[in-house]
Amino acid sequence: MAKSIPAYLRLFNEQVPPPGAAADPVDLGEVCSAFERVTGLPLRNLTGEAKPKDVEVLWSAPVEPGAEGTPGHLRVGVAVVSGESVAPQTDLSAAAELAAAIARLWRELNRTREALRQREADLAAGVPVTPQAEAGRHLADRIERVLRGGAEAIGCDAASLYLLDESTTELKLRASWGLPAGRLTAPARPLDRASADLEALAGHAIVLEDAAAQRNWSAPEEFPAAVCVPVSSPTVPLGTLWLFCNRARPFSDQEVNVAEIVAGRIAADLEREMLMTEGVEGARLKQQLAAAERFEHNQRPQIAPLVEAWDVAGWTEQAGRVGGDFYDWFVRPDEQLALALGDCSAQGIEAALTASSLRAGLRSHAEYVTEPGKLLERINRSLWTSSAGDQSAGLFFAVADPATGRLRFASAGHLAGLVLSARDCQAVLTPTVLLGLIPETHYETCERLLSPGDALLIASEGVCEALEERGGRFGDERFVELLLPHLGESAADLAGRVRDQLEACAPLARYDRTILVVKHRGAAGAKRRPR
């Protein structure tokens, strides 16, 4: 019977193209040919340093080839025919701009292709933790079946599995076949009194052919004959396997070997179950960590504040998937621009949780506390009263006036700050007590007037430590010399240059690192643009 689909529910099904229907990969040669048809100027991707004989090179840019290609250069020139240059169909500067855009797009395409290649390899290496059909049967049922099969294979009437506790001092009956069900409630046996089990755990099979031998070896059950073998993984002893017989009898070497094989099967089942449990739990934790990572990323401001007088940018990199560094900005109800950089002392999940509460407190208090120093004091008391004394953080908070270029700010912890201008470079922050340590700490509000074109750089403690590991310092002569020539660039470009310096001296982050750049555009009296 056909069923109609309700009008209020629609499901989107992705239409996968049939094999062979996918478009061919973009080829740089096709792009070069199209460029030449439009502009009349040859565009070539050349490897090596050889200069083409039929082209007079006017512009050149390096080309990233991807994982397996050969480095080359994308070059624009004027075609030469019979020793004379052919007149182009378009302006040379416009053609160079178009070629530069093509080079940037091609580099980005190659980076994307390489990231996709690595991602597919990562997915191929992933091991699914979905239980198979056999795993649907409870572990106790599976072990009992193995015990029964092993006992019957060597002519025994009962079998039992004893496993060690975490402290390796007792053996507890965990599974059995042929024994009364009530035996599972029996107390654990002290290991130091279980002679046969101790000998078996040392790697020897114990064969008891009569009742007297069982008494001498402290067998766990009263049977005329029994055999005891160790149950262990390749590296860890797990317990012992006992097989009992209702009559006195010897056990052949082949029968002892069968008992050891059964013990190996049980050890494999136990280890598989432990690995399955750890795998499922690990996958669950991985999903939760990914959710925390997305949440942390989404908390960062994604667009610059809509205040014409100020240009603001930030960059952060955590040492792990999540961390305690963050930057933030927002426009307060009084039209003042609020700026912040936080640096929590812990690492990983603990730091991320502290950062989340710190950011929430900052946003909440900033609505009605006007002085930055007073704001830090409120947050300090909140952090101190809401934790067990193990949460601390550094925090920079500033209020920027859109009309005058004035900054009022306060800082807690070991953050670093610089004001860059065409004239000089000045440090503006000094170390103070971290938030969350002493509830009565006073934080001073400072003031700074930025001239048009001046920039304020705030760095977390991890930035300073990363530079110091390579003999540098935030704000030293070399650091400033690399930034001052680019003071006319945007805040985002300046943040990128600081990031490049950090990645050059410490490409593998051991610390959470964050940069906040605030630049005065010089639009005096500028008002906030409408949203």
Side-chain angles (χ1 to χ4, degrees):
M1 179 184 296
K3 293 185 178 181
S4 61
I5 300 177
Y8 56 80
L9 176 63
R10 290 290 185 268
L11 298 179
F12 172 76
N13 291 325
E14 181 181 5
Q15 299 298 320
V16 180
D24 293 333
V26 178
D27 181 73
L28 187 55
E30 298 176 6
V31 178
C32 293
S33 299
F35 180 92
E36 186 169 0
R37 288 196 300 270
V38 172
T39 65
L41 295 169
L43 179 65
R44 308 281 177 83
N45 179 28
L46 304 176
T47 58
E49 298 297 329
K51 183 177 178 180
K53 297 180 180 180
D54 61 338
V55 173
E56 181 181 348
V57 177
L58 302 177
W59 174 92
S60 176
V63 174
E64 296 180 9
E68 300 178 356
T70 304
H73 276 75
L74 199 62
R75 299 177 181 179
V76 175
V78 176
V80 178
V81 179
S82 300
E84 296 185 1
S85 301
V86 179
Q89 302 175 14
T90 187
D91 180 67
L92 293 179
S93 61
E97 290 181 6
L98 177 59
I102 292 174
R104 288 194 298 270
L105 289 173
W106 190 254
R107 285 195 294 268
E108 188 64 29
L109 176 60
N110 282 330
R111 292 192 187 109
T112 303
R113 286 173 172 171
E114 176 62 12
L116 178 61
R117 186 183 70 86
Q118 295 179 1
R119 179 60 176 167
E120 290 300 320
D122 290 341
L123 290 174
V127 179
V129 295
T130 305
Q132 302 300 315
E134 174 65 15
R137 186 185 295 272
H138 195 277
L139 177 63
D141 296 333
R142 301 202 305 271
I143 292 180
E144 186 173 335
R145 286 197 308 168
V146 174
L147 291 176
R148 177 177 180 175
E152 292 179 344
I154 61 174
C156 286
D157 304 290
S160 58
L161 172 66
Y162 294 86
L163 297 182
L164 288 164
D165 62 351
E166 292 183 359
S167 60
T168 321
T169 58
E170 295 182 328
L171 286 161
K172 181 70 175 69
L173 179 64
R174 298 299 183 185
S176 67
W177 173 79
L179 296 179
R183 295 294 296 137
L184 291 174
T185 63
R189 295 185 296 128
L191 182 59
D192 58 359
R193 301 178 189 173
S195 305
D197 298 86
L198 279 171
E199 189 70 17
L201 289 171
H204 307 112
I206 305 301
V207 178
L208 309 178
E209 299 180 350
D210 54 47
Q214 292 214 42
R215 288 191 297 270
N216 294 333
W217 285 92
S218 303
E221 302 292 338
E222 295 184 0
F223 280 84
V227 60
C228 176
V229 294
V231 177
S232 62
S233 70
T235 57
V236 180
L238 302 176
T240 55
L241 168 66
W242 283 84
L243 300 169
F244 304 104
C245 188
N246 285 328
R247 56 185 176 83
R249 50 159 291 192
F251 291 91
S252 66
D253 291 344
Q254 290 80 3
E255 290 173 328
V256 173
N257 289 337
V258 170
E260 290 175 340
I261 292 172
V262 172
R265 164 64 190 276
I266 292 175
D269 253 7
L270 292 173
E271 194 167 28
R272 176 181 179 275
E273 191 75 13
M274 288 186 288
L275 290 174
M276 182 70 71
T277 302
E278 292 178 0
V280 172
E281 185 64 23
R284 187 180 298 113
L285 291 176
K286 190 175 181 179
Q287 292 173 353
Q288 294 173 358
L289 185 59
E293 186 177 14
R294 290 193 301 271
F295 175 81
E296 187 174 71
H297 180 269
N298 293 336
Q299 291 296 300
R300 300 172 193 158
Q302 302 299 320
I303 59 174
L306 302 178
V307 178
E308 294 182 353
W310 297 97
D311 183 16
V312 182
W315 169 80
T316 187
E317 181 181 43
Q318 314 291 10
R321 295 188 61 176
V322 294
D325 273 18
F326 69 91
Y327 60 85
D328 198 8
W329 55 68
F330 53 92
V331 178
R332 303 196 323 173
D334 60 0
E335 301 295 318
Q336 301 284 302
L337 174 62
L339 306 155
L341 183 148
D343 181 2
C344 298
S345 301
Q347 290 186 343
I349 292 292
E350 182 182 358
L353 293 174
T354 303
S356 181
S357 62
L358 186 63
R359 183 189 289 109
L362 170 69
R363 288 267 185 164
S364 176
H365 290 300
E367 290 291 326
Y368 60 88
V369 179
T370 58
E371 288 297 319
K374 297 295 183 184
L375 175 69
L376 263 59
E377 292 171 8
R378 294 284 185 93
I379 296 176
N380 177 48
R381 285 193 293 271
S382 298
L383 190 60
W384 187 81
T385 56
S386 62
S387 70
D390 57 349
Q391 294 183 10
S392 60
L395 179 64
F396 169 84
F397 179 75
V399 177
D401 190 334
T404 64
R406 185 182 66 160
L407 274 173
R408 290 180 297 119
F409 59 89
S411 174
H414 307 120
L415 308 179
L418 294 174
V419 171
L420 294 176
S421 67
R423 301 177 302 278
D424 57 11
C425 169
Q426 296 181 4
V428 294
L429 300 183
T430 56
T432 58
V433 179
L434 291 167
L435 299 177
L437 295 182
I438 304 175
E440 299 83 9
T441 304
H442 170 71
Y443 296 98
E444 181 181 359
T445 297
C446 303
E447 187 172 312
R448 184 85 184 199
L449 184 65
L450 295 188
S451 301
D454 290 355
L456 171 67
L457 275 67
I458 306 297
S460 67
E461 186 177 3
V463 171
C464 302
E465 291 175 338
L467 291 172
E468 289 172 359
E469 282 189 352
R470 296 302 179 92
R473 187 170 60 86
F474 184 80
D476 62 12
E477 184 176 353
R478 179 178 179 277
F479 182 87
V480 174
E481 285 179 351
L482 291 174
L483 292 180
L484 278 182
H486 307 282
L487 191 56
E489 298 179 357
S490 66
D493 290 336
L494 287 175
R497 293 190 179 278
V498 177
R499 177 201 62 210
D500 292 343
Q501 288 198 46
L502 292 173
E503 292 181 345
C505 69
L508 298 177
R510 294 176 52 207
Y511 316 98
D512 299 340
R513 305 181 294 185
T514 300
I515 288 289
L516 176 67
V517 180
V518 185
K519 188 173 181 183
H520 187 211
R521 287 196 179 107
K527 297 185 180 294
R528 182 183 174 194
R529 298 201 301 268
R531 293 185 181 273

